[in-house]
């Protein structure tokens, strides 16, 4: 069985997941063409080969021409329906967004349909989620495992103002799954990364596997005590 194993010692974000899948052979130029109908805005998907503490990795950057202020779950699903995704990929992508909407609804005491997505409804989040789910299909992944994700700490800013890390949505999404809290790292696992892995992966403390290929996705910050990499 072809199994994908996520090792998130520096957490996980959507762009890191994409970078790691590209390291396993996912064609990012073809991915860009698949994303065009569903992104909701003009974009450029950049892939840079970088070295993080001596380890070769792929850093993904999304540049968007203009961005709507916010989207609802219905808005996002309408965009997704415009594409040519397989029914399996489309269903998985919608399930990830439903997880995000459910988490935001619990935080704001609202309903999933009334929640206004800000960061996670943005074009780059759509690209990360669609890209990851499409990538799993293209790489013929049959099972996905995930080691306990590292959650950072600290203060940052969101569309609602100051925020404490790990973000409230991350904790909601990862309820019932093993995680590791570590101090002083800032944001490591993002809501998008958490939602993708919560939907597709079985969380395990260890795994007996025979390595076939390895890919590394690079984060955009430098972390003092570890390489900011997601290894798959």
């Amino acid at each position: 069985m072809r199994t994908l194993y996520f090792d998130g010692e520096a957490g996980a974000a959507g762009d890191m997941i994409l970078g790691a899948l590209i390291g396993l052979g996912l064609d990012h130029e073809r991915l860009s063409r698949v994303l065009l109908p569903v992104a909701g805005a003009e974009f450029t998907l950049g892939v840079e080969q970088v070295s993080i503490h001596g380890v070769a990795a792929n850093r993904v950057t999304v540049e968007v021409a203009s961005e709507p202020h916010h989207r609802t779950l219905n808005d996002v699903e309408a965009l997704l329906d415009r594409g040519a995704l397989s029914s399996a990929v489309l269903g998985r992508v919608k399930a990830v967004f439903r997880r995000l909407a459910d988490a935001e609804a619990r935080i704001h005491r609202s309903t999933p349909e009334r929640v206004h997505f800000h960061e996670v409804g943005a074009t780059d989040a759509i690209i990360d989620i669609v890209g990851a789910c499409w990538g799993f299909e293209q790489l013929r992944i049959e099972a996905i495992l995930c080691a306990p994700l590292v959650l950072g700490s600290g203060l940052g800013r969101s569309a609602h103002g100051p925020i404490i890390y790990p973000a409230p949505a991350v904790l909601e999404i990862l309820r019932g799954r093993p995680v590791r809290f570590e101090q002083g790292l800032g944001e490591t696992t993002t809501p998008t990364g958490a939602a993708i892995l919560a939907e597709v992966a079985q969380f395990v403390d260890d795994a007996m596997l025979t390595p076939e290929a390895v890919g590394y996705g690079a984060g955009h910050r430098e972390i003092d005590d570890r390489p900011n990499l997601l290894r798959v």
Side-chain angles (χ1 to χ4, degrees):
M1 176 179 291
R2 176 172 270 196
T3 300
L4 192 64
Y5 178 71
F6 281 87
D7 177 11
E9 279 291 327
D15 58 342
M16 296 171 76
I17 293 173
L18 266 190
L21 295 182
I22 289 168
L24 291 180
L26 187 66
D27 186 338
H28 70 274
E29 294 182 353
R30 186 176 170 211
L31 172 60
S32 292
R33 295 193 292 271
V34 169
L35 290 166
L36 278 174
V38 302
E42 293 184 10
F43 70 92
T44 301
L45 181 67
V47 179
E48 178 187 8
Q49 293 186 341
V50 297
S51 176
I52 306 295
H53 295 274
V55 178
N58 296 292
R59 177 176 287 146
V60 172
T61 304
V62 178
E63 295 183 4
V64 181
S66 61
E67 191 74 77
H69 180 61
H70 61 256
R71 292 186 175 108
T72 65
L73 180 61
N74 288 338
D75 293 333
V76 172
E77 290 185 340
L79 285 174
L80 297 173
D81 287 336
R82 301 190 323 190
L85 303 173
S86 70
S87 59
V89 171
L90 181 60
R92 184 172 261 181
V93 171
K94 287 185 175 181
V96 173
F97 274 105
R98 171 64 64 169
R99 282 186 182 272
L100 286 164
D102 287 343
E104 293 287 348
R106 288 195 297 269
I107 292 165
H108 301 299
R109 294 185 179 178
S110 183
T111 64
E113 291 73 23
R114 294 179 62 187
V115 165
H116 284 173
F117 286 142
H118 296 282
E119 291 91 344
V120 295
T123 299
D124 57 350
I126 293 173
I127 287 171
D128 289 344
I129 294 169
V130 173
C133 295
W134 183 78
F136 300 144
E137 181 179 75
Q138 293 300 301
L139 294 172
R140 305 189 313 280
I141 302 301
E142 299 170 85
I144 301 176
L145 304 177
C146 184
L149 291 172
V150 170
L151 307 187
S153 65
L155 298 174
R157 296 199 67 83
S158 73
H160 296 284
I163 191 171
I164 300 172
Y165 295 132
V170 169
L171 293 179
E172 290 291 336
I173 290 165
L174 294 177
R175 280 189 185 191
R177 293 170 176 82
V179 298
R180 286 168 43 203
F181 289 89
E182 297 200 19
Q183 298 298 310
L185 299 181
E187 184 179 37
T188 54
T189 298
T190 66
T192 301
I196 292 170
L197 294 177
E199 179 59 33
V200 305
Q202 175 188 353
F203 281 63
V204 296
D205 287 322
D206 53 34
M208 293 289 290
L209 300 169
T210 301
E212 173 187 342
V214 182
Y216 293 88
H220 286 260
R221 291 189 301 117
E222 183 173 333
I223 299 177
D224 290 338
D225 69 342
R226 73 199 65 198
N228 192 4
L229 294 170
L230 176 64
R231 177 166 56 187
V232 300

